[in-house]
Amino acid sequence: MLDAVVIGSGPNGLAAAVTLAKAGRSVLVLEAEPTIGGGTRTEEVTLPGFRHDVCSAIHPLGILSPFFRELDLGIAWAQPPVPLAHPFEDGHAAVLLRDMDETARRFGGSAVEDAASWREMFAPYMEDPHGFFAAVLAPIRVPRDPFLLARFGMTALQPATWVARRSFRGDARALFMGCAAHSIVPLDDIGTASFGMVLGLAAHAAGWPVAPGGSQTIANALVQRLEEHGGTIETGRRVRSLAELPASRAVLFDVMPRQLADIAGDALPASYKAQLRRFKHGPGIFKIDWALDGPIPWTAPECREAGTVHLGSTFEEIAASERANADGRVTDKPFMLVAQQSLFDPTRAPAGKHTGWAYCHVPNGSTVDHTELLESRIERFAPGFRDLILARKTWNTADVEAHNASYVGGDIGGGSNALLQVIARPALRWNEYTTPNPRLFLCSAATPPGGGVHGMCGWEAAKAVLRAQP
């Protein structure tokens, strides 16, 4: 009998497997797809030699993850000189830099008071950023520094729109709102300011880095650690019921709540499965990968040094875009995220060529083709972009879910980040990683702290197994 079977080889499933294997447990990971990695897969989806991150691309939470830091993945992260650039229609851009003071200083041209407000927002957490991230990436328990987290919560629990209006007047307002939009929740909802604060602080604390070789490098590093400790992986093993699994003391699910309910069947009580089926998913994405004949020719020079570029010119435009998605409406001015990994990682494309990666948020399950909309939007900020396109691969929400069944309706965030669901994720239990069946555990992004490539959900779930089955 195995000690544990892990279903799913995303970063959380692999994190759980590594943690258990390090503790001396026998572990088998079963992956439905032909390749491991879940949201950290890198593939040649356009032309030979062009390696594209199919989902995750930029990794601020990866470099800051307490689990990854403790495990030491051995990844030499590539740091763009500019973690994030946010261009405007007149050709200039706001920038989020590693240096907090330099970031603030550059706001002086748009609103002098923004500089002081930016420092006031982030400086208190810079004394011990790793301690701060250890707290915010942990399950909701009694914190080690309750005063620091209380201060964070006073701002973080507010709607991003409130904080942006009150704190900033110029470019910083749109820069903050773009970070907050990673919540994929209407930005006038409570709690959305937390995303703007966490991602802004992540840039100042450790940057928004790229994984050399692609996000697949992260999955490969986790697999290497797993195999070093005796764990094994089988790909092409889609699990539909517990009856298909080998005998084990524990089963950990790196899947979404409804999928857990389906696979577990009568092994879970009907009341708990009803809670799992009520778990809400957020908006989806429409994504494009490009093979390019050269770097994107941004008008704003800051964008040419940025790993990530946000396209959503104004505070109002970003807020309207995110509200439309939640309401099930398609907007002609979507907030858009662009990543250009090949500028900082030459392994991504043949010499002299480049890759492009971009997506916008769309209503969950939408199959509207936004190719023209996204490409024309980049063209407006980077004239000549279209002339560089050698090939493209588009992904609507159905394509995204077909590639990874955990992305239900194209939701790449592991479920809606609405505040009430964040507090009780995926169901109201003291230990969210456990289930009413002492043998079954959930380790996916549907558990705290939620989406992102950090492995924390799997790490915490594995620790729950070790406590329950010493």
Side-chain angles (χ1 to χ4, degrees):
M1 178 180 289
L2 290 163
D3 289 313
V5 172
V6 179
I7 299 174
S9 71
N12 286 311
L14 292 174
V18 170
T19 303
L20 293 170
K22 284 185 65 181
R25 306 298 174 90
S26 55
V27 182
L28 170 65
V29 178
L30 300 179
E31 168 56 49
E33 302 300 331
T35 55
I36 57 95
T40 55
R41 282 178 281 177
T42 304
E43 301 174 1
E44 294 184 350
V45 297
T46 56
L47 297 173
F50 291 83
R51 293 180 53 75
H52 303 273
D53 291 330
V54 176
C55 183
S56 65
I58 307 295
H59 300 288
L61 297 184
I63 195 171
L64 286 163
S65 164
F67 171 66
F68 286 172
R69 285 168 56 81
E70 179 179 295
L71 189 63
D72 185 12
L73 293 178
I75 295 174
W77 301 97
Q79 290 280 8
V82 176
L84 168 66
H86 189 117
F88 297 92
E89 298 286 351
D90 65 0
H92 85 285
V95 290
L96 178 61
L97 304 172
R98 290 284 301 276
D99 189 312
M100 179 185 65
D101 290 327
E102 179 63 14
T103 299
R105 187 189 67 77
R106 294 204 189 187
F107 293 143
S110 57
V112 175
E113 58 268 36
D114 283 3
S117 297
W118 193 268
R119 292 189 187 95
E120 182 180 355
M121 179 175 289
F122 294 107
Y125 313 101
M126 287 298 292
E127 293 182 9
D128 181 18
H130 290 294
F132 172 80
F133 278 96
V136 298
L137 292 176
I140 299 174
R141 302 288 187 268
V142 178
R144 286 180 294 178
D145 189 342
F147 297 105
L148 184 68
L149 282 192
R151 176 171 184 157
F152 171 70
M154 288 176 63
T155 302
L157 292 177
Q158 298 180 48
T161 51
W162 291 12
V163 174
R165 284 195 187 100
R166 184 182 67 249
S167 301
F168 308 117
R169 298 290 179 269
D171 293 353
R173 181 178 284 184
L175 189 69
F176 178 82
M177 285 286 281
C179 291
H182 284 250
S183 64
I184 323 181
V185 172
L187 297 175
D188 51 5
D189 282 10
I190 58 174
T192 47
S194 63
F195 282 78
M197 295 180 70
V198 166
L199 288 176
L201 182 60
H204 296 324
W208 287 15
V210 170
S215 295
Q216 185 76 49
T217 300
I218 301 171
N220 293 346
L222 287 166
V223 169
Q224 181 179 343
R225 295 292 184 272
L226 175 62
E227 293 176 341
E228 287 171 356
H229 293 284
T232 57
I233 298 177
E234 294 181 15
T235 58
R237 288 285 304 274
R238 189 174 300 278
V239 177
R240 294 179 174 83
S241 75
L242 293 178
E244 301 173 16
L245 301 179
S248 65
R249 297 175 62 209
V251 183
L252 294 89
F253 294 80
D254 186 9
V255 301
M256 288 297 101
R258 295 174 198 173
Q259 296 161 349
L260 167 59
D262 291 339
I263 296 171
D266 293 339
L268 289 173
S271 59
Y272 179 70
K273 287 193 293 183
Q275 290 186 71
L276 296 179
R277 296 190 190 285
R278 287 196 296 269
F279 185 80
K280 295 181 179 179
H281 284 277
I285 64 166
F286 180 89
K287 179 176 182 286
I288 308 180
D289 292 296
W290 292 283
L292 301 173
D293 200 28
I296 299 175
W298 302 102
T299 298
E302 297 89 344
C303 294
R304 301 174 205 157
E305 297 183 285
T308 303
V309 178
H310 284 169
L311 298 184
S313 295
T314 65
F315 163 94
E316 292 81 8
E317 188 175 291
I318 298 170
S321 174
E322 297 309 296
R323 169 52 65 186
N325 295 319
D327 292 345
R329 294 182 287 108
V330 174
T331 175
D332 60 354
K333 291 185 176 180
F335 172 67
M336 185 173 169
L337 302 90
V338 182
Q340 36 195 15
Q341 304 94 307
S342 60
L343 289 179
F344 318 103
D345 177 12
T347 69
R348 302 299 184 97
K353 310 300 181 184
H354 284 273
T355 59
W357 174 107
Y359 71 82
C360 67
H361 303 148
V362 298
N364 190 285
S366 169
T367 55
V368 175
D369 188 331
H370 289 283
T371 304
E372 171 61 25
L373 184 62
L374 267 59
E375 291 184 352
S376 63
R377 196 162 178 77
I378 295 181
E379 182 76 22
R380 193 161 76 245
F381 292 94
F385 165 72
R386 280 189 163 127
D387 296 335
L388 298 174
I389 299 174
L390 301 173
R392 70 173 63 82
K393 164 66 177 174
T394 63
W395 308 75
N396 64 25
T397 61
D399 299 324
V400 170
E401 183 175 354
H403 191 265
N404 188 335
S406 289
Y407 296 154
V408 178
D411 171 13
I412 61 173
S416 169
N417 287 309
L419 184 60
L420 290 179
Q421 182 160 284
V422 169
I423 293 172
R425 189 180 184 96
L428 188 59
R429 294 179 63 81
W430 171 249
N431 191 316
E432 303 89 336
Y433 312 96
T434 65
T435 73
N437 186 321
R439 180 171 167 255
L440 306 183
F441 299 80
L442 186 62
C443 66
S444 71
T447 61
V453 179
H454 43 62
M456 295 296 290
C457 309
W459 191 32
E460 294 291 346
K463 289 191 287 186
V465 173
L466 296 173
R467 287 192 295 269
Q469 301 180 359

